[in-house]
Amino acid sequence: MSDPILRFDVVIAGAGPAGATLALALAKAGLVVAIVDAEALETRLAPEFDGRAWAVAWGNVLQFKALGVADALEPHAQPVTHILVSEGPMPAAGAAPPRSVFLDFNSAEVSDETGGGPLAWMVENRHLRSALNTALEAAGVHAFAPARVVGLETDARAARFRLHDGRVLEAPLAVAADGRNSRLREAAGIGFHGWDYGQTGVVATVELDTPHQGVAHEYFMAGSALASLPLTDQRASLVWVEPTARGRALADASPEAFEAHLNRRFGPALGRAKLTGPRFSYPLGLRSADAMVGARLALVGDAAHSIHPIAGQGLNLGFKDVAALAEVVVDAQRLGEDIGSGLVLERYARWRRFDCAAFAVATDGFVRAYGSDTPLLKAVRGAVVGAMNRSQGLKRAMMLNAGGLLGDVPKLLRGQTL
């Protein structure tokens, strides 16, 4: 007796933010969608599962508005109105004031494009997952979780996922949204290349005794950095980047030692900060898939690209992938095309290729520019940053691009339904 075959329009591996948002966008446009994940969807709602919080750029906030998710997110979202980028001396930023050269990104400078909106919403992962899970159920997305994909086969007609329990999910199009260690990408023979930075990112949530006023701080020193991202209830999400050995020590230190080192190292930049939960650590590197599509397969999010987190653009790149792929697939479906054909998938790859490469190059250059404190590099860096801060046109373009509002913008990022 053959294994049962369940047929869909699209099957997505990975129920993280990118995969879930894509499933929702396609289902709301009338496609029959299945999503597969190794974890039960409810598991991801616990604070202990993932301590990260996301800076959701304004274009992606508009995407969530178009998909009907923003109302559930807004009570848990902290608007980010300013981003301040500065640097300080080594070894302890608290030992001296920051240098006078800094970048100030102000949402008021792009208010004509955002309708007065902020630069981003800061949303904790558990709240984003909860809103998406509820929306997926309401949209009729078929969830197979927990379930493991043990095989992927493709032919001229369809892609077939074989699950660990023998079930087979068949669709004209498969999507890999299963992270940087994507099994689907590997099964398709698509290479994933890049390099490690020799750094660890330590993520934690803290309470602040100084009002953050919706301001995000990115504070750089040679070989290390701190992003303090405002959350609701006078809290902040920290992304603290250090060389690997030092980062592991921070992650393993007692809460008291971590707080003492944080407050000593960054001094008045944060005020006094107190841990409110567990810490998480992640190795940092840059990776890019050799191709964003394969035979009846599209890659989105970290399965396609993984960049340094300090600029907060990794997840937003994934959401832009989602908006572009959803639009391409929905348009093709309505025209009666084969949505998994090479012709259709190449439209998606062509749309996203340059943007992903540009962000990878820009982020890598930013990390390396702040990776040394030699006098010559400091002088060059100061001159460049000062010039950038004085150039309103350049800063405006940077803010619009980071917000997903510049160039050939997908409909969802403009707040339009598909």
mmCIF file of all heavy atoms in Angstrom, residues 46-52 124 126 202-207 231 235-238 250-251 253-256 258-259 273-281:
data_model
loop_
_atom_site.group_PDB
_atom_site.id
_atom_site.type_symbol
_atom_site.label_atom_id
_atom_site.label_comp_id
_atom_site.label_asym_id
_atom_site.label_seq_id
_atom_site.Cartn_x
_atom_site.Cartn_y
_atom_site.Cartn_z
ATOM 1 N N ALA A 46 6.914 30.532 24.172
ATOM 2 C CA ALA A 46 7.510 30.680 25.497
ATOM 3 C C ALA A 46 8.707 31.620 25.444
ATOM 4 O O ALA A 46 9.516 31.548 24.521
ATOM 5 C CB ALA A 46 7.948 29.311 26.032
ATOM 6 N N PRO A 47 8.859 32.503 26.446
ATOM 7 C CA PRO A 47 10.019 33.399 26.472
ATOM 8 C C PRO A 47 11.340 32.640 26.483
ATOM 9 O O PRO A 47 12.356 33.133 26.002
ATOM 10 C CB PRO A 47 9.826 34.192 27.772
ATOM 11 C CG PRO A 47 8.372 34.104 28.072
ATOM 12 C CD PRO A 47 7.932 32.761 27.556
ATOM 13 N N GLU A 48 11.326 31.417 27.025
ATOM 14 C CA GLU A 48 12.554 30.636 27.107
ATOM 15 C C GLU A 48 12.966 30.039 25.771
ATOM 16 O O GLU A 48 14.092 29.565 25.616
ATOM 17 C CB GLU A 48 12.381 29.496 28.126
ATOM 18 C CG GLU A 48 12.164 29.956 29.562
ATOM 19 C CD GLU A 48 10.730 30.421 29.809
ATOM 20 O OE1 GLU A 48 9.846 30.142 28.957
ATOM 21 O OE2 GLU A 48 10.495 31.080 30.836
ATOM 22 N N PHE A 49 12.056 30.036 24.784
ATOM 23 C CA PHE A 49 12.380 29.420 23.497
ATOM 24 C C PHE A 49 13.361 30.283 22.713
ATOM 25 O O PHE A 49 14.295 29.781 22.090
ATOM 26 C CB PHE A 49 11.101 29.208 22.677
ATOM 27 C CG PHE A 49 11.352 28.582 21.331
ATOM 28 C CD1 PHE A 49 11.506 27.215 21.221
ATOM 29 C CD2 PHE A 49 11.443 29.365 20.191
ATOM 30 C CE1 PHE A 49 11.751 26.625 19.985
ATOM 31 C CE2 PHE A 49 11.690 28.776 18.952
ATOM 32 C CZ PHE A 49 11.842 27.409 18.854
ATOM 33 N N ASP A 50 13.154 31.576 22.725
ATOM 34 C CA ASP A 50 13.973 32.476 21.916
ATOM 35 C C ASP A 50 13.881 33.862 22.531
ATOM 36 O O ASP A 50 12.808 34.459 22.574
ATOM 37 C CB ASP A 50 13.459 32.502 20.473
ATOM 38 C CG ASP A 50 14.342 33.306 19.531
ATOM 39 O OD1 ASP A 50 15.072 34.180 20.010
ATOM 40 O OD2 ASP A 50 14.281 33.060 18.323
ATOM 41 N N GLY A 51 15.002 34.369 23.015
ATOM 42 C CA GLY A 51 14.980 35.647 23.711
ATOM 43 C C GLY A 51 15.044 36.849 22.808
ATOM 44 O O GLY A 51 15.114 37.979 23.298
ATOM 45 N N ARG A 52 15.011 36.637 21.495
ATOM 46 C CA ARG A 52 15.183 37.765 20.592
ATOM 47 C C ARG A 52 13.918 38.615 20.480
ATOM 48 O O ARG A 52 12.814 38.152 20.703
ATOM 49 C CB ARG A 52 15.589 37.259 19.205
ATOM 50 C CG ARG A 52 16.999 36.723 19.144
ATOM 51 C CD ARG A 52 17.328 36.119 17.795
ATOM 52 N NE ARG A 52 16.580 34.893 17.546
ATOM 53 C CZ ARG A 52 16.755 34.127 16.472
ATOM 54 N NH1 ARG A 52 17.634 34.480 15.555
ATOM 55 N NH2 ARG A 52 16.045 33.027 16.311
ATOM 56 N N GLU A 124 8.704 41.606 20.482
ATOM 57 C CA GLU A 124 9.321 40.371 20.980
ATOM 58 C C GLU A 124 8.845 39.187 20.155
ATOM 59 O O GLU A 124 7.706 39.132 19.709
ATOM 60 C CB GLU A 124 8.982 40.184 22.453
ATOM 61 C CG GLU A 124 9.659 41.214 23.359
ATOM 62 C CD GLU A 124 9.058 41.226 24.749
ATOM 63 O OE1 GLU A 124 9.522 40.453 25.606
ATOM 64 O OE2 GLU A 124 8.121 42.022 24.963
ATOM 65 N N ARG A 126 7.982 36.180 20.835
ATOM 66 C CA ARG A 126 6.812 35.406 21.277
ATOM 67 C C ARG A 126 5.508 36.099 20.883
ATOM 68 O O ARG A 126 4.515 35.444 20.553
ATOM 69 C CB ARG A 126 6.867 35.152 22.781
ATOM 70 C CG ARG A 126 6.898 36.399 23.634
ATOM 71 C CD ARG A 126 7.351 36.094 25.063
ATOM 72 N NE ARG A 126 7.576 37.301 25.819
ATOM 73 C CZ ARG A 126 6.732 37.768 26.739
ATOM 74 N NH1 ARG A 126 5.596 37.140 26.984
ATOM 75 N NH2 ARG A 126 7.016 38.865 27.408
ATOM 76 N N VAL A 202 25.270 38.061 22.140
ATOM 77 C CA VAL A 202 24.549 37.710 23.360
ATOM 78 C C VAL A 202 23.288 38.564 23.419
ATOM 79 O O VAL A 202 23.361 39.798 23.353
ATOM 80 C CB VAL A 202 25.416 37.948 24.615
ATOM 81 C CG1 VAL A 202 24.647 37.554 25.876
ATOM 82 C CG2 VAL A 202 26.720 37.148 24.523
ATOM 83 N N VAL A 203 22.156 37.908 23.532
ATOM 84 C CA VAL A 203 20.855 38.586 23.511
ATOM 85 C C VAL A 203 20.229 38.495 24.894
ATOM 86 O O VAL A 203 20.202 37.414 25.497
ATOM 87 C CB VAL A 203 19.929 37.949 22.457
ATOM 88 C CG1 VAL A 203 18.554 38.606 22.485
ATOM 89 C CG2 VAL A 203 20.547 38.056 21.072
ATOM 90 N N ALA A 204 19.741 39.606 25.387
ATOM 91 C CA ALA A 204 19.107 39.630 26.707
ATOM 92 C C ALA A 204 18.093 40.765 26.747
ATOM 93 O O ALA A 204 18.168 41.720 25.967
ATOM 94 C CB ALA A 204 20.159 39.827 27.803
ATOM 95 N N THR A 205 17.147 40.651 27.669
ATOM 96 C CA THR A 205 16.181 41.715 27.913
ATOM 97 C C THR A 205 16.474 42.326 29.272
ATOM 98 O O THR A 205 16.704 41.610 30.249
ATOM 99 C CB THR A 205 14.745 41.176 27.880
ATOM 100 O OG1 THR A 205 14.498 40.588 26.596
ATOM 101 C CG2 THR A 205 13.733 42.289 28.111
ATOM 102 N N VAL A 206 16.485 43.664 29.333
ATOM 103 C CA VAL A 206 16.800 44.357 30.577
ATOM 104 C C VAL A 206 15.755 45.423 30.860
ATOM 105 O O VAL A 206 15.081 45.928 29.955
ATOM 106 C CB VAL A 206 18.202 45.031 30.519
ATOM 107 C CG1 VAL A 206 19.295 43.983 30.389
ATOM 108 C CG2 VAL A 206 18.274 46.048 29.376
ATOM 109 N N GLU A 207 15.619 45.746 32.143
ATOM 110 C CA GLU A 207 14.845 46.916 32.562
ATOM 111 C C GLU A 207 15.812 48.089 32.687
ATOM 112 O O GLU A 207 16.937 47.928 33.159
ATOM 113 C CB GLU A 207 14.177 46.661 33.916
ATOM 114 C CG GLU A 207 13.031 45.679 33.864
ATOM 115 C CD GLU A 207 12.397 45.473 35.232
ATOM 116 O OE1 GLU A 207 12.976 45.957 36.236
ATOM 117 O OE2 GLU A 207 11.342 44.819 35.305
ATOM 118 N N LEU A 231 11.983 48.459 24.115
ATOM 119 C CA LEU A 231 10.793 47.622 24.208
ATOM 120 C C LEU A 231 9.748 48.337 25.053
ATOM 121 O O LEU A 231 10.017 49.370 25.673
ATOM 122 C CB LEU A 231 11.130 46.266 24.840
ATOM 123 C CG LEU A 231 12.093 45.356 24.085
ATOM 124 C CD1 LEU A 231 12.394 44.117 24.921
ATOM 125 C CD2 LEU A 231 11.518 44.956 22.725
ATOM 126 N N ARG A 235 11.668 48.707 28.976
ATOM 127 C CA ARG A 235 12.664 47.649 28.836
ATOM 128 C C ARG A 235 13.427 47.852 27.536
ATOM 129 O O ARG A 235 13.063 48.665 26.698
ATOM 130 C CB ARG A 235 11.993 46.274 28.833
ATOM 131 C CG ARG A 235 11.253 45.917 30.112
ATOM 132 C CD ARG A 235 10.448 44.632 29.930
ATOM 133 N NE ARG A 235 9.503 44.776 28.843
ATOM 134 C CZ ARG A 235 9.227 43.823 27.939
ATOM 135 N NH1 ARG A 235 9.823 42.635 28.013
ATOM 136 N NH2 ARG A 235 8.349 44.036 26.991
ATOM 137 N N ALA A 236 14.489 47.080 27.388
ATOM 138 C CA ALA A 236 15.260 47.110 26.143
ATOM 139 C C ALA A 236 15.745 45.703 25.825
ATOM 140 O O ALA A 236 16.016 44.896 26.722
ATOM 141 C CB ALA A 236 16.452 48.060 26.250
ATOM 142 N N SER A 237 15.830 45.422 24.535
ATOM 143 C CA SER A 237 16.456 44.185 24.063
ATOM 144 C C SER A 237 17.901 44.509 23.720
ATOM 145 O O SER A 237 18.176 45.418 22.937
ATOM 146 C CB SER A 237 15.722 43.651 22.831
ATOM 147 O OG SER A 237 16.393 42.510 22.313
ATOM 148 N N LEU A 238 18.840 43.790 24.322
ATOM 149 C CA LEU A 238 20.254 43.994 24.066
ATOM 150 C C LEU A 238 20.768 42.960 23.084
ATOM 151 O O LEU A 238 20.453 41.775 23.191
ATOM 152 C CB LEU A 238 21.070 43.870 25.357
ATOM 153 C CG LEU A 238 20.745 44.806 26.514
ATOM 154 C CD1 LEU A 238 21.738 44.562 27.651
ATOM 155 C CD2 LEU A 238 20.757 46.257 26.078
ATOM 156 N N LEU A 250 30.298 35.898 28.735
ATOM 157 C CA LEU A 250 29.169 36.746 29.108
ATOM 158 C C LEU A 250 27.877 35.947 29.222
ATOM 159 O O LEU A 250 27.081 36.141 30.136
ATOM 160 C CB LEU A 250 28.984 37.850 28.072
ATOM 161 C CG LEU A 250 29.919 39.048 28.125
ATOM 162 C CD1 LEU A 250 29.689 39.932 26.915
ATOM 163 C CD2 LEU A 250 29.709 39.834 29.407
ATOM 164 N N ALA A 251 27.671 35.058 28.253
ATOM 165 C CA ALA A 251 26.448 34.258 28.264
ATOM 166 C C ALA A 251 26.380 33.344 29.483
ATOM 167 O O ALA A 251 25.293 33.051 29.988
ATOM 168 C CB ALA A 251 26.354 33.442 26.983
ATOM 169 N N ALA A 253 28.032 33.911 32.456
ATOM 170 C CA ALA A 253 28.282 34.606 33.717
ATOM 171 C C ALA A 253 27.011 34.669 34.567
ATOM 172 O O ALA A 253 25.888 34.567 34.057
ATOM 173 C CB ALA A 253 28.787 36.018 33.437
ATOM 174 N N SER A 254 27.194 34.861 35.868
ATOM 175 C CA SER A 254 26.039 35.040 36.743
ATOM 176 C C SER A 254 25.315 36.331 36.358
ATOM 177 O O SER A 254 25.920 37.252 35.779
ATOM 178 C CB SER A 254 26.495 35.131 38.194
ATOM 179 O OG SER A 254 27.208 36.341 38.406
ATOM 180 N N PRO A 255 24.024 36.435 36.655
ATOM 181 C CA PRO A 255 23.312 37.679 36.339
ATOM 182 C C PRO A 255 23.981 38.906 36.946
ATOM 183 O O PRO A 255 24.049 39.959 36.311
ATOM 184 C CB PRO A 255 21.917 37.445 36.933
ATOM 185 C CG PRO A 255 21.746 35.961 36.919
ATOM 186 C CD PRO A 255 23.111 35.407 37.202
ATOM 187 N N GLU A 256 24.479 38.775 38.161
ATOM 188 C CA GLU A 256 25.116 39.915 38.830
ATOM 189 C C GLU A 256 26.389 40.332 38.103
ATOM 190 O O GLU A 256 26.646 41.533 37.903
ATOM 191 C CB GLU A 256 25.434 39.558 40.290
ATOM 192 C CG GLU A 256 24.217 39.308 41.161
ATOM 193 C CD GLU A 256 23.590 37.934 40.947
ATOM 194 O OE1 GLU A 256 24.235 37.060 40.315
ATOM 195 O OE2 GLU A 256 22.453 37.733 41.405
ATOM 196 N N PHE A 258 27.111 39.743 34.924
ATOM 197 C CA PHE A 258 26.724 40.274 33.609
ATOM 198 C C PHE A 258 26.299 41.732 33.738
ATOM 199 O O PHE A 258 26.746 42.600 32.972
ATOM 200 C CB PHE A 258 25.592 39.429 33.035
ATOM 201 C CG PHE A 258 25.117 39.876 31.672
ATOM 202 C CD1 PHE A 258 25.696 39.376 30.528
ATOM 203 C CD2 PHE A 258 24.082 40.800 31.545
ATOM 204 C CE1 PHE A 258 25.261 39.776 29.261
ATOM 205 C CE2 PHE A 258 23.641 41.216 30.298
ATOM 206 C CZ PHE A 258 24.239 40.698 29.162
ATOM 207 N N GLU A 259 25.433 42.020 34.711
ATOM 208 C CA GLU A 259 24.950 43.391 34.889
ATOM 209 C C GLU A 259 26.097 44.333 35.248
ATOM 210 O O GLU A 259 26.175 45.460 34.732
ATOM 211 C CB GLU A 259 23.888 43.426 35.986
ATOM 212 C CG GLU A 259 22.576 42.773 35.595
ATOM 213 C CD GLU A 259 21.621 42.668 36.768
ATOM 214 O OE1 GLU A 259 21.935 43.238 37.846
ATOM 215 O OE2 GLU A 259 20.557 42.038 36.628
ATOM 216 N N ALA A 273 21.018 49.112 34.065
ATOM 217 C CA ALA A 273 20.223 48.081 33.386
ATOM 218 C C ALA A 273 20.189 46.826 34.240
ATOM 219 O O ALA A 273 21.228 46.400 34.774
ATOM 220 C CB ALA A 273 20.832 47.779 32.022
ATOM 221 N N LYS A 274 19.019 46.206 34.348
ATOM 222 C CA LYS A 274 18.851 45.002 35.163
ATOM 223 C C LYS A 274 18.233 43.904 34.327
ATOM 224 O O LYS A 274 17.215 44.103 33.663
ATOM 225 C CB LYS A 274 17.963 45.304 36.376
ATOM 226 C CG LYS A 274 17.775 44.116 37.319
ATOM 227 C CD LYS A 274 16.988 44.514 38.546
ATOM 228 C CE LYS A 274 16.771 43.320 39.476
ATOM 229 N NZ LYS A 274 18.056 42.699 39.908
ATOM 230 N N LEU A 275 18.859 42.720 34.354
ATOM 231 C CA LEU A 275 18.343 41.582 33.597
ATOM 232 C C LEU A 275 16.951 41.196 34.061
ATOM 233 O O LEU A 275 16.658 41.205 35.259
ATOM 234 C CB LEU A 275 19.268 40.373 33.768
ATOM 235 C CG LEU A 275 20.510 40.296 32.894
ATOM 236 C CD1 LEU A 275 21.432 39.163 33.381
ATOM 237 C CD2 LEU A 275 20.132 40.062 31.441
ATOM 238 N N THR A 276 16.108 40.803 33.103
ATOM 239 C CA THR A 276 14.751 40.367 33.449
ATOM 240 C C THR A 276 14.454 38.949 32.973
ATOM 241 O O THR A 276 13.335 38.482 33.123
ATOM 242 C CB THR A 276 13.701 41.313 32.838
ATOM 243 O OG1 THR A 276 13.813 41.280 31.411
ATOM 244 C CG2 THR A 276 13.895 42.738 33.336
ATOM 245 N N GLY A 277 15.417 38.269 32.393
ATOM 246 C CA GLY A 277 15.152 36.925 31.893
ATOM 247 C C GLY A 277 16.434 36.246 31.458
ATOM 248 O O GLY A 277 17.541 36.738 31.724
ATOM 249 N N PRO A 278 16.311 35.121 30.786
ATOM 250 C CA PRO A 278 17.493 34.372 30.362
ATOM 251 C C PRO A 278 18.253 35.079 29.255
ATOM 252 O O PRO A 278 17.747 35.980 28.589
ATOM 253 C CB PRO A 278 16.908 33.044 29.865
ATOM 254 C CG PRO A 278 15.509 33.390 29.446
ATOM 255 C CD PRO A 278 15.060 34.453 30.389
ATOM 256 N N ARG A 279 19.518 34.653 29.068
ATOM 257 C CA ARG A 279 20.342 35.141 27.968
ATOM 258 C C ARG A 279 20.470 34.052 26.904
ATOM 259 O O ARG A 279 20.393 32.866 27.217
ATOM 260 C CB ARG A 279 21.741 35.515 28.485
ATOM 261 C CG ARG A 279 21.805 36.843 29.192
ATOM 262 C CD ARG A 279 22.998 36.893 30.137
ATOM 263 N NE ARG A 279 22.752 36.131 31.346
ATOM 264 C CZ ARG A 279 23.696 35.729 32.200
ATOM 265 N NH1 ARG A 279 24.960 36.001 31.940
ATOM 266 N NH2 ARG A 279 23.376 35.054 33.282
ATOM 267 N N PHE A 280 20.690 34.470 25.687
ATOM 268 C CA PHE A 280 20.861 33.561 24.564
ATOM 269 C C PHE A 280 22.083 34.021 23.784
ATOM 270 O O PHE A 280 22.374 35.215 23.719
ATOM 271 C CB PHE A 280 19.628 33.565 23.662
ATOM 272 C CG PHE A 280 18.346 33.239 24.383
ATOM 273 C CD1 PHE A 280 17.662 34.231 25.071
ATOM 274 C CD2 PHE A 280 17.841 31.958 24.388
ATOM 275 C CE1 PHE A 280 16.480 33.940 25.750
ATOM 276 C CE2 PHE A 280 16.663 31.661 25.058
ATOM 277 C CZ PHE A 280 15.989 32.654 25.734
ATOM 278 N N SER A 281 22.802 33.088 23.187
ATOM 279 C CA SER A 281 23.985 33.472 22.411
ATOM 280 C C SER A 281 23.962 32.785 21.055
ATOM 281 O O SER A 281 23.474 31.653 20.920
ATOM 282 C CB SER A 281 25.271 33.112 23.167
ATOM 283 O OG SER A 281 25.364 31.723 23.391
#
